[in-house]
Each structure stands twice: as C-alpha cells, then as structure tokens.
Amino acid sequence: MTAQDVIQLGRTSRPRTVLIASSLEKDSNSVVGTGAAVARAAGAKVYLVHVAPPEPFAVGLETGWLAPGAFKEEAERRRRLLWDQAKRLRIDPDELAGVGVTSGPPHWVIVETARRIGAELIVVGASEFGRSLAKLLGSTADRVVRKASCPVLVVRGELPVPPRRVLMPVDLSELSADSFRCGLDLLGQISNGAQAEIEAFYALDFLPPLEFCHPDMPWVTTSQQVERRAAWELERFVIENGEDAPAAMHAKVQPGDARNEILSELERKSADLVILGTHGRNGFDRLLLGSIASSVLRQAPCSVLMIPPAATLGRAIAEAVVAQAVPNWHVEHPALARS
C-alpha cells in the first residue's frame, strides 16, 4: 500500500447511508426532507427510523400485561406512516435503505441503529420539545450528539441543500483541525460544485494572550498585537486544513466570549449552517452542559453539523502513518513562507 493509498483511506468516506430520525409529527417533514436532500446530493441511501413511545399501547388494567400483539400492530401502523411520509416527501423507494420502528430511549435507539446499519451521517430535528424546555432538560438531538460516533446534522427550520452561507468556528487546536477538515469534506460531498460562502471564525477568548508568544514576537501584550497574531494563526490554520474546501474561505477573528460571538456571527451572516466539533481545546470538557458546542447546538438560529472526534479518527490515523512512513511529507505552503 502506498502513502497515497493510506491518505485516501483516511479521508472522510462518501456517505453510503444517511440515517434520518422522524417523529412522524408535522415538524418532522422538514427534517426528513432535508436529510433526503443531503443523501441525494451525496449519492447515499436513506434509512428512516421512528422511535415509538415506550408506554404500552394496550395494557390490561387488571393484569398490567401488554395485550397480545398490541405493540406489533401499533409498530406496523407507524411503519406504514413512515412509508407514507417518505412517499409524501417524494423519496423514491430506490433511495431507501430501509425503515425501522422500535421503542426505547430515543437517543439510544437512534445511535444504536446508526451503528448497526453503518450510517455515516445521522440527521435529527433540533428539538422535539419547546425551546425553553430543551434548554433546561436537553433534547434528544443533544443526547444523540453526545453519543454518536459519526457526524450529526441537527436540522432547525429549512436548510437549503447545498447550503449557501456556512460558519465554521475553530479554536486552532488539533481536535478542532480534525473536525474542520471532516466538515469541509462532508460539505464538499453535498455541494455538487455550488459555491458556498464559507467563513472560518475564531473568537479570541479561546486562547489566553500568552499562548500567542512567538520567537519573533516574544511579548505580545496589547490587544492589537493579540488580534494580529490571532489573524496570522487563523490564516495558517485555514491554509493547512482547508484543502477540501468546496469554495474559497474567508477568515475572521473576533474578540469576545466565544459562545456569544459565535451566536452573534450566525445572526449577522444569516448563516444556513454552522459546522463545529463536539470537542475542542479542553478535550472532553466540551461535552459538558454549558460548553460552547452544547450552547451553539441549542441556541443557533440555523442547522448545526456536529463532528465528534470518532468521525475523524480514520483520517487522523492515516495522516500519522504517512507522517511516519514518508520523511518530509509536510512541505510548508508557499503562502506561509511569505507570512
């Protein structure tokens, strides 16, 4: 196997199966429709799953036992509704890898079904509850993102496919770089040559100023110096990790609290989609409630594509193998040499 073969194996594979979770409610039409459009653009099959309520559908009040065949009948009824929804949304039977109806904790069923069928992307709705309740308790989407090992597209409202305006917040860490490359790769697979407006966004509170120390700038102290150094670091980050971008990218540095600045930038840009990793500079801290990723997931005015570390593991391993097998594999980009 050549070094190039290893690189290709490590790239994010083109999705073959996209799992879409449907509640069968009216609001789920946009989720299923968006997921089907993404799968169609990527040349993937659709697997529809519906999680039925755990409560028995017909329980003998005297015995407490489930009435014989009751769940099977109800599950079959919901399966027909799932097929009807697919037909109503003009999903061709040839585009379907299957449909499934089961009962259990929704996030567990969705993640386990995705693992079982080998889905490369999960599509879920932003919240099956009201926004205020979702903030308090956490939605199924939030829990799916925490447990999934593949990217999760959390649909909020109507998402054009391909998206027109995309925001990609980064914190310049290695984990963030992995998510950045994976997100760009997936974006390219559904773009079909369309030119999206992509912005790499860096909020200055991700790093304390002292971490910007550089041999040529040993004492960076003023806010202007910090911003200039941050802009240089972001430009380098984009050049090194943006090879899979389906369009030219803009880079923006914004001082302030990362959580607030990301949400404000989404509003300013009227973004269709925000792509970010579930983990960042602080590693597994990013999965704690109140983290930046969780806040953006719950409060973003648009759809969110979340990239967990497991989704980029294959590529990271391949790059590490190539780095060991091919001396001087990394050649600094000419643009960096002139910086």
Side-chain angles (χ1 to χ4, degrees), residues 4 22 71 87 120 127 173 177 179 218 234:
Q4 187 61 33
S22 171
F71 180 80
K87 182 178 180 180
E120 288 85 7
S127 176
S173 67
S179 299
L234 180 58

Side-chain angles (χ1 to χ4, degrees), residues 200-219:
F201 184 80
Y202 176 71
L204 268 179
D205 87 330
F206 273 126
L207 286 176
L210 287 179
E211 292 196 35
F212 280 114
C213 288
H214 185 269
D216 298 330
M217 304 170 67
W219 299 106

Side-chain angles (χ1 to χ4, degrees), residues 11-18 37-39 41-44 119-123 149-153 161-163 166 168 178-193 198 243-246 273 275-276 304-308 311-312 315:
R11 292 175 64 84
T12 307
S13 61
R14 179 172 291 275
R16 294 164 297 178
T17 307
V18 175
V38 168
E120 288 85 7
L121 177 67
I122 296 173
V123 180
S149 58
C150 65
V152 180
L153 175 60
V161 180
V166 180
M168 301 188 69
D178 289 342
S179 299
F180 187 78
R181 293 193 297 269
C182 181
L184 285 175
D185 203 2
L186 287 171
L187 185 61
Q189 290 169 21
I190 66 172
S191 292
N192 290 329
I198 307 172
E243 62 183 12
D244 292 322
L273 180 68
I275 303 175
L276 75 165
V304 183
L305 177 61
M306 304 293 283
I307 312 291
T312 65
R315 178 169 186 161

